[in-house]
Every structure is written in C-alpha cells, then in structure tokens.
Amino acid sequence: MNIKDLAQHLGLSIGTVSRALNGKPDVNAQTRARVLGRARVLGAASQLGYRPNASGRSLRRGSTQTVAFVMETGRADVRGDNFFVRIIDAMQDRLAAEDHDLIVLPSNSANDPTGFLRRTIARGIADAIVVTATQAHDPRIALLLDSRMPFLSFGRSQIAGSFAWIDLDFEGFLREAMAGLAALGHRRIAVSTPQGPSNIGVLMQATCREVCARLGLDSDPTLIVATESHEYGGNLVTRQLLDRPDPPTAVILHYEMMAFGAYSALRDAGLSPGTDMSIVTMRRSRQLHFLDPPVSACEIDVVGLGRRLADETLRVIRADDPPAQLLWPARPILTDSVAPPRTR
C-alpha cells in the first residue's frame, strides 16, 4: 500500500499523513485531534501493511544510504575461500552503524564486467561502489572516473587519475619473503603470479625482478610463473618446477589455498615441504592450519581491513579529501615450511 492509498483510506490529505508519519512539528494539537492523531495514522499503517517507498524516499533525500560491493564471482580465489565473506561482514557492521546498507552484486568476470558496472551506475541503486579484482589497465575504473560516481577500489590499477583505493601490500610481502629465503641461502626462488590482466601480477613481477637484482639472486625469468589461483594451480606449478633440470629451492605462492596443492605435489614426489623445498604463501587462513608443517604466510587483519574499507567508502560518499591510497600490511611470518636449501 502506498501513501496515497493510506491517505484515501483515512480520508486525509497526503501531506497531512506524511507529516504525521514523520512527526513534523507543524502539525498542531488541533489538527492532530481533528485527523484522529498520529497514533491512528501509524496504527492504520501497521494494520494495512504500509511501507515507505524506498525509491521515492531516495529521490527526496538525494541518497540511497546504500553501498554496492561488486564481486567478481568467476575467480577461483573468490569461490574457494572465506576472505571476501569476512571482509563483507566487517564492512556491513561498520556501515550499519552509520545508517548505511551494504549490497553485494555478483559480476561474473567471464561475461562483461564493464557493461555490468555501467548498468549498475545507470540504475542509481547505491551512493558508492566498491570494485574488486582490479586489472592493470582496468576499464571499470576508467568508466567510474568518467561517470563521477563515488567509488573505492579494493586493489590498485595503472589507470591514470586520482581515486580512492586500498590494497594488500603484495610488494612488501614479496620483498620480505624473498629476503628471508635469501638469508637462509636460497638463490633460485620461484614466484607464482595470477593469470590474466590482474594488477597483482604486474606488481609481483616488477618486485621480483627488483629484489633479485638487489640481493644478487638468480634472475631467471622462467622462475616467475603465471598460474590459476586455486589448489590445482598450486599443485600444477609445483610439479612443473620439480620437473626442471635445475628446480628452484623455494616457491612463493600468490594465493594461500595454492599451498594445499604445492604440499600434495611435493609429497607425491617423495619430498617434504620445508626440508626439500621451502614454501611461502600470501595469507594465513583457518584452512591452512591443517597443513603440516604450518605454512609460512602473512597474518592479515581481515576484520580491520573490512572496517577500513567501509570507513573510506563513507569518506568517498562525503567527498572528503584526500582520497585514500593505502597499502594494508602483509608481512610474512616464516615457519617450518621454510629451511636452508639442501645441497645437491
């Protein structure tokens, strides 16, 4: 039932009903008595199932009080882990405290993510958009910049322009992991990167080359291997590395769940993680507790990250300057999955 039907049912004007429903001070005592008071209006609203029209109220306010989180569902690392679920949960809590709702919009990366985003902007269903799975040259960010739609990018891009972003510190992770392995005597260190146009791959490749040059490590370009981000990808890349005439003594994986596949490949070959090949992965998740030995990884404050994403999205909505450009700490903690290389 809309407000027009409600007013007709009570025999009142739409304006009077609206002011009574919203407790406006311009409705005096006589008027309230004459129209049977606000209580009768609210009682009838409840009895007749009246709900305010959200679209109409958004138009009047000029705001939807909603943030849209666009998640690329075609990615294996999204399907196989709870990282984004925990991020979304923390964002939702923080946004709710500021009277904002969070909606998740699944966008299959196998289709047309840019077209999907264009339709989302046109529908005006949110005050701000959070995009994920950023590419090195991401057309979605170019579209958002042109549209002037408030947005936050969870991940960086090489696209020119000033925009708000928060990203995990992949470069810091890789520098510390490679330095720790080099200190143990490793010289041939393999690094996996995501397949496709992901900006993470660009960042990790550049950082790997920089660290090899600075520390005097083997700069064999074939030690940087693009692979799929899931357990099977970790298994495949480890098997391929073991089959080489001069395999690396350590592997750094860009996605945590790949460690399951890497451990499996080593054990199938009669080898032990840490003892025969050192393994480091990006983030320590609950699932990784089942690995033996515990895998070297980063302890990342996922809840804190989700809250910060929410806070910075609210700043984007308010047009606060300067926009956030923040690297979230990701420092690896080395465990027994890392050891000095065996002499061959």
Side-chain angles (χ1 to χ4, degrees), residues 26-45:
D26 61 339
V27 181
N28 59 39
Q30 290 84 0
T31 302
R32 289 183 190 276
R34 184 167 54 86
V35 299
L36 303 181
R38 184 166 179 254
R40 179 181 171 188
V41 175
L42 293 174

Side-chain angles (χ1 to χ4, degrees), residues 19-146:
R19 291 195 299 276
L21 278 171
N22 290 283
K24 297 295 184 181
D26 61 339
V27 181
N28 59 39
Q30 290 84 0
T31 302
R32 289 183 190 276
R34 184 167 54 86
V35 299
L36 303 181
R38 184 166 179 254
R40 179 181 171 188
V41 175
L42 293 174
S46 176
Q47 180 183 355
L48 296 170
Y50 169 76
R51 295 292 184 274
N53 183 283
S55 298
R57 298 183 77 176
S58 296
L59 286 171
R60 290 192 295 274
R61 283 196 308 255
S63 168
T64 65
Q65 301 290 106
T66 301
V67 171
F69 189 97
V70 179
M71 190 162 66
E72 300 286 327
T73 57
R75 294 166 51 209
D77 54 336
V78 170
R79 296 193 301 265
D81 189 23
N82 64 0
F83 176 73
F84 278 98
V85 174
R86 296 178 66 197
I87 289 285
I88 290 166
D89 190 58
M91 286 186 69
Q92 197 165 29
D93 280 348
R94 183 56 62 91
L95 290 170
E98 300 294 329
D99 295 324
H100 281 67
D101 292 320
L102 181 68
I103 58 173
V104 179
L105 302 178
S107 172
N108 193 319
S109 52
N111 296 323
D112 179 15
T114 306
F116 176 85
L117 189 60
R118 184 179 291 108
R119 293 190 298 274
T120 301
I121 295 170
R123 288 170 182 147
I125 60 176
D127 295 335
I129 292 175
V130 179
V131 291
T132 62
T134 52
Q135 301 176 12
H137 300 283
D138 201 318
R140 299 172 306 160
I141 291 179
L143 170 65
L144 286 162
L145 287 168
D146 288 342

Side-chain angles (χ1 to χ4, degrees), residues 8-343:
Q8 185 176 3
H9 172 79
L10 294 170
L12 307 173
S13 71
I14 294 174
T16 299
V17 172
S18 177
R19 291 195 299 276
L21 278 171
N22 290 283
K24 297 295 184 181
D26 61 339
V27 181
N28 59 39
Q30 290 84 0
T31 302
R32 289 183 190 276
R34 184 167 54 86
V35 299
L36 303 181
R38 184 166 179 254
R40 179 181 171 188
V41 175
L42 293 174
S46 176
Q47 180 183 355
L48 296 170
Y50 169 76
R51 295 292 184 274
N53 183 283
S55 298
R57 298 183 77 176
S58 296
L59 286 171
R60 290 192 295 274
R61 283 196 308 255
S63 168
T64 65
Q65 301 290 106
T66 301
V67 171
F69 189 97
V70 179
M71 190 162 66
E72 300 286 327
T73 57
R75 294 166 51 209
D77 54 336
V78 170
R79 296 193 301 265
D81 189 23
N82 64 0
F83 176 73
F84 278 98
V85 174
R86 296 178 66 197
I87 289 285
I88 290 166
D89 190 58
M91 286 186 69
Q92 197 165 29
D93 280 348
R94 183 56 62 91
L95 290 170
E98 300 294 329
D99 295 324
H100 281 67
D101 292 320
L102 181 68
I103 58 173
V104 179
L105 302 178
S107 172
N108 193 319
S109 52
N111 296 323
D112 179 15
T114 306
F116 176 85
L117 189 60
R118 184 179 291 108
R119 293 190 298 274
T120 301
I121 295 170
R123 288 170 182 147
I125 60 176
D127 295 335
I129 292 175
V130 179
V131 291
T132 62
T134 52
Q135 301 176 12
H137 300 283
D138 201 318
R140 299 172 306 160
I141 291 179
L143 170 65
L144 286 162
L145 287 168
D146 288 342
S147 73
R148 300 187 180 278
M149 176 76 186
F151 76 97
L152 175 75
S153 173
F154 186 19
R156 285 163 284 171
S157 178
Q158 310 298 317
I159 292 287
S162 178
F163 60 91
W165 56 261
I166 298 178
D167 200 5
L168 296 179
D169 187 5
F170 291 97
E171 302 100 305
F173 157 70
L174 195 52
R175 289 189 184 105
E176 290 202 27
M178 294 182 73
L181 290 166
L184 291 172
H186 293 274
R187 288 295 174 266
R188 283 181 61 78
I189 302 172
V191 175
S192 80
T193 64
Q195 287 183 332
S198 166
N199 193 56
I200 298 172
V202 173
L203 295 173
M204 294 189 72
Q205 289 178 38
T207 303
C208 186
R209 291 191 291 266
E210 172 243 305
V211 174
C212 285
R214 177 164 51 85
L215 299 182
L217 306 179
D218 192 332
S219 58
D220 181 354
T222 65
L223 290 176
I224 304 175
V225 185
T227 187
E228 294 187 17
S229 304
H230 47 54
E231 297 89 337
Y232 296 103
N235 187 275
L236 178 62
V237 72
T238 305
R239 288 178 184 275
Q240 291 173 342
L241 293 170
L242 290 174
D243 286 342
R244 296 186 179 190
D246 188 11
T249 57
V251 179
I252 300 174
L253 304 168
H254 67 273
Y255 175 58
E256 52 270 17
M257 301 302 288
M258 297 173 69
F260 284 100
Y263 272 45
S264 176
L266 287 169
R267 293 202 161 108
D268 287 347
L271 303 174
S272 299
T275 304
D276 297 296
M277 179 179 280
S278 292
I279 303 290
V280 182
T281 193
M282 178 63 195
R283 182 180 68 90
R284 178 170 288 113
S285 66
R286 294 175 182 175
Q287 293 94 323
L288 296 188
H289 293 165
F290 294 101
L291 291 176
D292 183 28
V295 68
S296 300
C298 301
E299 291 285 1
I300 297 175
D301 181 5
V302 179
V303 173
L305 174 56
R307 291 172 178 165
R308 188 61 182 270
L309 285 165
D311 289 340
E312 296 303 331
T313 303
L314 292 170
R315 289 187 69 246
V316 164
I317 293 172
R318 296 191 300 263
D320 292 347
D321 284 325
Q325 296 186 342
L326 173 65
L327 286 176
W328 196 256
R331 295 183 174 178
I333 299 172
L334 301 185
T335 64
D336 290 342
S337 73
V338 166
R342 277 191 166 182
T343 56

